[in-house]
Amino acid sequence: MSQSLPFGISCKGGLNTNLNQFEMLSNPGLATQLENFEVDSDGGYRRINGFEPFGSTDATRPNSTNAILGLFVYADGLIVTSGTNIYFTLDGITYLQINRASVSASGDNYSTFTGRSVAARTSQSQCNFSFYEGDSQYGELLITDESSASKPFYFKMTGTGALSNRTYYAKEVTVSGTVYPVTGVIHNKHYVVSGDSNNPNTIYYSGTNDIDDFTSTGSGSIKLDDKVIGLKSFRDDLIIFCKNSIYKLININDSSTVAIVPVTKNVGCLDNHSIQEIAGDLVFLSPDGVRTIAGTARIGDVELGTVSRQIMSITETIANSIDSFVVSSVVLRQKSQYRLFYTVSSDIPSQAKGIIGSLTSQGFQWSETKGIQATAITSGFNSNGVEKTFHGDDDGYIYVHDSGNTFYHEGSSASMRATYETPNYDFGDFGTRKNINYLKISITPEGTAQPVLRVRYNYNDPDHPQPNDYTLLSVPLPATFGESLFGTGVFGASNDPMVRQAVQGGGHTTSFRLRTEDSNPPYAINGMYIDYTPANRR
Amino acid sequence: MATTFLQLCNEILREVNEVELTSATFDSSVGVQTHVKDIVNRAYSDIVNEEPQWPFLSVAESGATDPMYGNVYVETVAGTRWYEMKPASSSITTDYGYIDWDNFYLTTVGVSGESAPYESRNLRHTTIEEWKDYFRVAENLDDADSQQYGVPSRVVRSPDARNFGLSPIPDKVYRVWFFAFNQPTKLNLYTDELVFPDVYVPVLISKARYYIHQFNDNAQSAAFSLEDYKRNLKNMKLHLMEPDPGYFKDDRIRFI
């Protein structure tokens, strides 16, 4: 039994905290830990990008240390809610407060607008944004927040160039008396709101093509059985996410046939801020994990599916403490990714967690984040058609999301710890003790990368010899003709180098962990080749 | 500095690509590491068992008390026949590992109150059978009657291997010198050093490799290691045990 044998794995399948160790052996590419990595839709696990201050080195906070409560990419800038205020910024350096009262219906110029009194957003908390494209230059925006202490806030801006050359429209929208909805959505020419603390079961919809008037033609309200958590327009229907059920509103433009149709009474939504649309489906966080509402071939029909069974233990943790978490989510369209972040506001940013669902040909594949505290996050196309993604934290900072190589905690740069851990491989024969000779790890660097390898035998048995960590040889960035700068790449380096690392020890099972904790550029781990020697059957 | 137990273990662990020990982890070794510690001691015992008179096991340097040959002595008591070879030992597990029964020497040199002319003679080893057939009865009767005793001229090994007996029974105090070898001490601490020169470390290593390859079900490598061990041990014996010129001794002429 002295001849060495090969074992190869391709990194695919993503994080799986659900399967037992033996089940995982049939999918050796799965990860038992995949922190601050993302599943690359083209294969492999890629360390995620970091994030950078919006405004770079000149970045400022809009409202001191007040947490960021909402972000929305609007026009050529960003709408920010923080404290009891709402701001607009072009650059993350200067902020224009836009929650003004008594703004002229025909719009204010800059000086008039900034001279108006402030319409404080009482007890403002996490915000929801509803965008109505309409026929205006940048569209119209409606803002509600979870406190149910303020009316929806309407904002529109026209003009280009400096903010001083633009025209501003702002007002509070009355739904009905003191109805203060917490959530809203634009659906089929109507602004639909719900979640008022005194009428949590009622949805209100505005007049047709009249999003700021709930008394005009086409407006109305409907009462449901269940407390409304969130609203989302999906194809011709409005999906109403309730606490323990899901409905859809159909035929909103036909007062004679408008109706509420139940989708399910077994599944509800845990948090309004988890609802996103990705690849034509709605995704939301339910008590049993992340679910989708997908359209079917039949007109008007939808189907519910669960897509996060692989990370059931994580979603259970979120669900069990949902009331203590601030939840935010976003879809990164270019990566086909759904990202959901959850944090306890009293936690330090480095402890904040999240999950990343990458949509692949095999469905959603998951990974985790740690160190991204996103009390608000948004991704959208600005007026130039460029996708912009931002997030804000509990300390009032705003960051360009998914950019750069580091994290920022409380405004200061922090290295990012990324960890990928494999299942415990038995190499096809659990009973035989195997000596591991060496690994060849396929890495695609985007700069210099130097992961640290940890090998653990027999399920990390403390009564079994475990080797020290191995720092891999530095993996250089290959120089590409026409692209690389002198001194930043290595001539002759491979695009996907195989890094060989001799290791010691052996056991009945072996797991490998690759970790970096630095400020180096991302890299992708594509797979591993393991050379081992069967030893004995003791 | 001689090779330490830690170095020996790590050489074996490296051989089979296992996790090496450090001074910090040595005491808390687990699994195959502990097995390697065991087999190093087993290999050491195997070497010792091959030849109990290894010079490195000698109790003391020979001739330390010039001009006596032998490295241990026991003083007799008038009228006492049997003496423990290692009085400080309580059982055979802590006795000397080997005694050179052909090298017992009796003298009054060094005995308190003795002066020249001294008594001095070799003690001939006599088997217990010969002694009981020809000497025991007479000496016992003398002991029980007139107690004349005498100057011992024979040494007898007790069947339990813990005592030597003198014949005749000593009539006064003598020093009986002999050559003794210690039992091997198991290597225990990571700083424990081998008692033989480093040049013979491969002997121990090859036998330890034999065991570790057996542990790994690697019969072929185990066989190779055993061959290495045998060849190396042969050389070790040759160099440490038989460096003298090869003389034949034939003293039959004395009886002609």
Side-chain angles (χ1 to χ4, degrees), chain A residues 433 436 503 505 535-536 538, chain B residues 16-18 30 214-216 218:
Chain A
R433 191 174 181 281
I436 308 301
V503 298
N536 57 46
R538 289 167 206 275
Chain B
V16 290
N17 196 38
E18 290 289 352
V30 289
Q214 274 197 329
F215 173 77
N216 283 339
N218 191 342

Side-chain angles (χ1 to χ4, degrees), chain B residues 26 57 83 93 110 157-158 167 170-171 185-186 203 232:
Chain B
F26 196 83
L57 292 178
Y83 301 91
T93 59
R157 175 179 172 273
S158 70
S167 172
D171 56 354
T185 305
K186 278 181 76 170
V203 185
N232 291 335

Side-chain angles (χ1 to χ4, degrees), chain B residues 122-192:
Chain B
N122 287 326
L123 294 175
R124 190 170 68 86
H125 177 253
T126 302
T127 64
I128 197 82
E129 287 76 17
E130 183 185 354
W131 171 76
K132 72 180 171 58
D133 287 347
Y134 299 109
F135 304 107
R136 181 171 68 174
V137 174
E139 289 172 4
N140 285 0
L141 289 174
D142 173 62
D143 181 53
D145 185 11
S146 61
Q147 298 185 338
Q148 291 296 305
Y149 304 125
V151 180
S153 58
R154 292 172 293 274
V155 62
V156 185
R157 175 179 172 273
S158 70
D160 64 3
R162 299 206 64 217
N163 298 283
F164 68 86
L166 296 173
S167 172
I169 296 172
D171 56 354
K172 61 177 183 178
V173 178
Y174 298 96
R175 278 191 180 176
V176 178
W177 287 86
F178 55 95
F179 216 97
F181 297 85
N182 279 324
Q183 295 194 52
T185 305
K186 278 181 76 170
L187 299 167
N188 183 31
L189 304 175
Y190 75 90
T191 50
D192 284 353

Side-chain angles (χ1 to χ4, degrees), chain A residues 341-363:
Chain A
F341 300 97
Y342 55 102
T343 180
V344 177
S345 56
S346 58
D347 272 355
I348 56 175
S350 59
Q351 297 302 313
K353 290 185 175 183
I355 53 175
I356 299 177
S358 299
L359 194 53
T360 70
S361 55
Q362 277 78 45

Side-chain angles (χ1 to χ4, degrees), chain A residues 171-184:
Chain A
K171 63 181 176 184
E172 286 189 331
V173 176
T174 299
V175 176
S176 175
T178 56
V179 169
Y180 301 141
V182 301
T183 184

Side-chain angles (χ1 to χ4, degrees), chain A residues 45 54 106 191 234 311 348 354 472 483 486 499 510:
Chain A
Y45 300 141
F54 180 39
S106 57
Y191 180 41
F234 184 59
I311 53 166
I348 56 175
L472 301 186
E483 292 182 9
F486 183 77
V499 183
T510 311

